[in-house]
Amino acid sequence: MKRDLAIIGAGPAGMAAATQAAELGLSVTVLDEQPRAGGQIYRDVDRASISRGHLLGKDYTDGARLTEGLRQSGVEHISGAVVWAIEDGFRISYTCAGRGAQIEADRILLATGALERPMPIPGWTLPGVMTAGAGQILLKQSGIVAQGAVLVGSGPLLYLIAAQMVRAGTPPAAMIETQTPGDMIRALRHVGGALRGWPYMAKGLKMLAEIKRAKVPRYTGATQIAVEGEGKADAVTFTHKGGKQRIACETVFLHHGVVPNTQAARSLGIGHHWDPVQGAFVPELDAWGQSDVAGVFIAGDGAGIGGAKLAEHAGRLAALKIAQNAGRLSTQDCDRLATPLRRAVTRERAARPFLDAAYPPYGSALHPADSTIVCRCEEVTAGDIRRYAKLGCLGPNQTKAFGRAGMGPCQGRYCGLTVTALLAEANGRSPDETGYYRIRPPLKPVTLGELAAMNDTDLDAAE
Ligand SMILES: Cc1cc2nc3c(=O)[nH]c(=O)nc-3n(C[C@H](O)[C@H](O)[C@H](O)COP(=O)(O)OP(=O)(O)OC[C@H]3O[C@@H](n4cnc5c(N)ncnc54)[C@H](O)[C@@H]3O)c2cc1C
């Protein structure tokens, strides 16, 4: 059976789009690699809300509204489905419960969300160092919080995770923050937007007050940050107000923002451009989330970072246009239903320029020291990439031939932006001129066993 619509990702964008599309009479299948619907923000919300909702906050428990909507919609949701190829037409290959399967759909919505921006600093590959999002996943899914962890980086998510750790009774030992007073002054240019997006600002101030009450030491404007240790993390060292500091710890959470996860979009040949404000590549889309590849839409953080509420509205907008294209909705009704959603999108976007300017990525992690590993899978250092540039390497695809960067299991997800930045700087070219890895299937690792156990086309693993 060929569906009207296949959605990759069951976060706020995917869940809202699926529910809206089903209401308009489309046959919809949602695939997500997670065992339950929710995406990043609402990960495991149906299970964890009961025991840990009070720690994770109302913004988290609110996600149950969307998971319930998805259940009620009758949409087919294949959980635990890792999508690794999307072919024209569209045929989607995924693995689920140890075997390969495929489904077909007339249209596709990519709602694959964001990834944490890689933060290559000296020592970031030591055991005990992980992204702050990974630390938060432990809390959401298993109720586990690292004792005495040190948070390093910047951004609203860092404060959220710190506040959640405080509520769990295991506050971070310290926060080593990279944003400077100058960043905040530059952000004041966008204070009008920040005031229009006041709920975000109010939440931010509340989280900072929680962190302060818990007496978590904060070191802002930190530079020269490194993780020390022999075989595992032992301490974080950094410079603060001109003095060298060292904080002993076994767990370090790194975070300096999130970037769109563009792997699936790139594998379909969708055009992308560099967004200097967000410091990332974003796909070329119209106001409905329609890409330059016919039949493929993108909604949520994968289209540009905007947060969970914006992702939800964008998912619904895309679903309206998809329904119109499928002949299930008149142009007039599509535009009418879209009007309040567009207003909501504008409201949700208001605070973004302020946040982007106030919490820029940590400069030294965008241009790491020569000895720092940038491609973790293949152990390629920043110095290696600079050396390739001297030998004439102009773009990330060539680095694969020079030294296998981007060819490991993550397929460049965690080094792509750093490699582009290093080559752009070394060659004096813009990120757009430098480009990004050419992404090909498999998007995610797939075993021979899973391929050998592949069902016939359109006989999915859930059946
Ligand atoms: C680690 C992390 C933690 C975050 N925590 C918070 C938070 O606590 N609060 C907050 O306000 N914001 C948080 N954010 C930001 C938040 O993710 C977004 O604002 C919001 O969830 C975006 O919604 P979305 O629907 O676009 O994508 P997401 O919610 O990210 O959902 C995308 C879904 O796509 C699935 N997916 C991606 N690729 C594939 C594939 N190949 N095959 C199958 N499935 C796939 C993923 O499993 C995921 O469930 C977090 C971001 C990250 C990266």
Side-chain angles (χ1 to χ4, degrees), residues 238-425:
F238 57 100
T239 300
H240 181 246
K241 294 188 174 158
K244 203 80 190 139
Q245 302 272 348
R246 184 179 190 278
I247 299 178
C249 60
E250 290 186 344
T251 308
V252 183
F253 290 150
L254 302 178
H255 177 88
H256 65 151
V258 294
V259 292
N261 175 2
T262 59
Q263 302 289 106
R266 284 186 178 277
S267 77
L268 282 159
I270 290 169
H272 286 71
H273 66 269
W274 182 254
D275 178 342
V277 178
Q278 295 209 334
F281 286 104
V282 292
E284 308 278 358
L285 303 171
D286 69 12
W288 299 95
Q290 197 161 210
S291 76
D292 51 10
V293 173
V296 183
F297 287 68
I298 306 179
D301 274 2
I305 303 305
K309 290 275 182 255
L310 177 56
E312 189 180 329
H313 303 313
R316 286 191 209 287
L317 272 173
L320 293 179
K321 194 64 177 175
I322 289 166
Q324 191 213 321
N325 287 354
R328 306 294 169 86
L329 192 64
S330 67
T331 308
Q332 212 179 13
D333 282 346
C334 184
D335 290 341
R336 181 179 55 77
L337 292 169
T339 304
L341 292 172
R342 292 215 187 286
R343 252 186 255 123
V345 163
T346 306
R347 206 170 47 240
E348 292 302 326
R349 281 209 177 112
R352 190 54 49 184
F354 178 86
L355 295 174
D356 287 338
Y359 301 104
Y362 176 45
S364 302
L366 299 182
H367 308 283
D370 276 354
S371 57
T372 304
I373 286 177
V374 294
C375 168
R376 301 174 68 120
C377 303
E378 299 292 334
E379 301 194 345
V380 180
T381 64
D384 291 330
I385 303 288
R386 291 189 178 106
R387 196 162 43 81
Y388 305 156
K390 280 203 186 112
L391 293 171
C393 176
L394 292 175
N397 289 308
Q398 285 170 296
T399 61
K400 294 183 180 180
F402 276 86
R404 293 192 53 83
M407 291 183 75
C410 93
Q411 287 292 289
R413 272 197 304 282
Y414 296 109
C415 64
L417 285 179
T418 316
V419 170
T420 293
L422 286 168
L423 287 176
E425 186 186 41

Side-chain angles (χ1 to χ4, degrees), residues 6 14 99 106 169 218 270 289 367 406 434 452:
R99 59 192 171 123
D106 288 326
R218 290 181 58 205
I270 290 169
H367 308 283
T434 305

